[in-house]
Amino acid sequence: MGSDATTIPKQAMEALNAGGLSEEQARQIVAIGPEVAVFALLELSKQLAEQRKKTAAESHQTPATPSGMKPAYAKPPGKKRKRRPGAKPGHPGTRRKTPEQVDRKVEHRANCCPDCGGPLKQCQETRVRYTEDIPDVQPEVTEHTIHRDWCPTCKKQVEPKLPDALPGSTLGNHVLVLSAWLHYSLGNTLSQIVDVFNFHLRMELTSGGLVQMWYRLQAILYAWYERIQSEALDSAVLHGDESGWRVNGKTHWLWCFTTPNLTFYMIDRSRGSPALAKFFIQEFAGTLVTDFWGSYNAVACALRQTCLVHLLRELEHTEKYKSPSEHWPAFEKKLRRLIGDAIRLWRKRDELPVETYASRRKRLTVRLQQLIDAPWEGSHAKRLIKRLRRHQNDLFTFLDQPNVPFENNAAERAIRPAVIIRKNSYGNRSQQGADSQAVFMSVFRTLKQRDRDPIRTIIDALRTYLTTGQLPPLPEPK
């Protein structure tokens, strides 16, 4: 083909190398002969392939790359909002409530007119304005005088327990719990927390000292962590999800199991059944809601519900990026319509008579079986048929059980705060750090779900623990 390049007109050859041809130049190439036209098409195809390869290498992305991993400049423009954000015009206004307690009163009077600078004649008219602010913070140092007295019965000296700090610690419980909350719940980095205490709170701390104190606090709160796991296993509906996590530079997995009143996190080296066996230490008697990840099939549970939204996304992803066969549109249409009809029936459950609902529910089972039994062509249709056959009894559980959704959004929303923390911290440096991460995230998230003040609740629990040696029960939802 190299000899054909000499027969292409010079202008057309330059345009071909530049990656573009005019209509007239293209006609000139075709007029020379079919071999020259084939050469030109191959040359253009080669240039396009090189351009696509270069673009992929620069972005390090594939069509399946999650949106969060794509840079802002590589994303397509967002969809235009259907309506303006905010409440509708004319809605009642909202503002901060007037404080019930006033700590300080200050009067203000101008010395002269702020516009012309002239003298003012005093009047009796005033107005009141409230502001709330944080005063200048100064650490409070407490000197504890601990009396040691003799016990004639035990034949030894005894002293009272100090409830305001862990044994041997020079930092109080408030500093300890507040710093742990900033790191494990809000996702602030260790250096940021040290800066807040050193500059704003005027309390000198070190990163190593904080981490060691957190390890001690984690050991105390571990009883609550086990209680959260126990309550999760006793729940009626449990959502599960997993995401990548790094521990000492190695890939681990963050597992998340959640209900409306609790969230349990676990960081493990395995993404398979060994990790699930550590959580499901007993047979789960409720409904487990997950995506289609195969490891969940090893869980012994009464009922399952697989996420239909994941299935719809798979249809969309296959249509856009997998180049399905000509038989794909018919299969995709039937499956999408079946899922849509199931969701619509679920939304009308309370409106339909019992007989009508049961009849339509039975019809969905028949349609699913017909879809699975049909002789579909194409690798992608066969792949999804295999998935439907494996989860045939798990697709429509939400139509039969109360409080079971057709999607797994609860687990994805629960794991999202941990993913944001991961973006800041890049994981953990040790297994001990990963274990503490899981315990603190579980406790803080669960307390938030139960409408409890996490800092005050844990401080009060520490006072009880340091006084009696027993951690109080995990607070119930309000």
Side-chain angles (χ1 to χ4, degrees), residues 263-280:
T263 298
F264 182 89
Y265 296 101
M266 179 179 66
I267 299 175
D268 195 84
R269 189 77 171 88
S270 171
R271 196 190 179 190
S273 56
L276 289 169
K278 294 179 182 179
F279 175 75
F280 290 98

Side-chain angles (χ1 to χ4, degrees), residues 16 66 102 110 129 132 190 223 298 326 353 376 385 452:
L16 184 63
V102 177
R129 175 185 172 187
E132 296 180 76
L190 194 55
E326 59 182 1
W376 296 103
I385 285 295
R452 301 284 182 171

Side-chain angles (χ1 to χ4, degrees), residues 270-414:
S270 171
R271 196 190 179 190
S273 56
L276 289 169
K278 294 179 182 179
F279 175 75
F280 290 98
I281 55 179
Q282 64 187 46
E283 182 176 352
F284 182 58
T287 303
L288 180 62
V289 184
T290 66
D291 54 21
F292 291 92
W293 180 241
S295 299
Y296 293 110
N297 298 331
V299 178
C301 59
L303 295 170
R304 303 176 191 272
Q305 172 62 54
T306 48
C307 180
L308 298 187
V309 175
H310 277 76
L311 195 55
L312 293 174
R313 286 188 200 144
E314 180 68 22
L315 294 178
E316 183 179 357
H317 181 79
T318 302
E319 179 70 26
K320 286 185 176 180
Y321 305 118
K322 298 294 187 179
S323 301
S325 65
E326 59 182 1
H327 304 283
W328 171 261
F331 170 78
E332 187 265 350
K333 182 178 180 180
K334 280 185 174 294
L335 180 53
R336 187 180 294 275
R337 180 172 294 176
L338 176 64
I339 296 173
D341 289 344
I343 295 174
R344 281 187 286 271
L345 178 61
W346 174 74
R347 289 172 176 163
K348 294 181 179 179
R349 172 187 295 180
D350 298 332
E351 304 174 7
L352 297 174
V354 177
E355 297 78 7
T356 304
Y357 181 85
S359 175
R360 295 184 182 181
R361 169 66 181 91
K362 185 177 180 180
R363 177 59 185 164
L364 288 173
T365 303
V366 174
R367 289 170 58 187
L368 176 60
Q369 188 64 52
Q370 292 173 347
L371 181 67
I372 293 174
D373 294 340
W376 296 103
E377 299 292 336
S379 59
H380 295 294
K382 292 180 179 179
R383 172 174 58 85
L384 289 182
I385 285 295
K386 184 178 179 181
R387 180 183 299 179
L388 294 178
R389 185 178 292 111
R390 183 185 305 116
H391 298 282
Q392 186 172 358
N393 298 325
D394 309 334
L395 297 175
F396 298 144
T397 305
F398 72 101
L399 294 174
D400 305 323
Q401 299 296 321
N403 302 320
V404 176
F406 60 86
E407 30 72 17
N408 197 27
N409 288 347
E412 294 186 351
R413 285 192 296 267

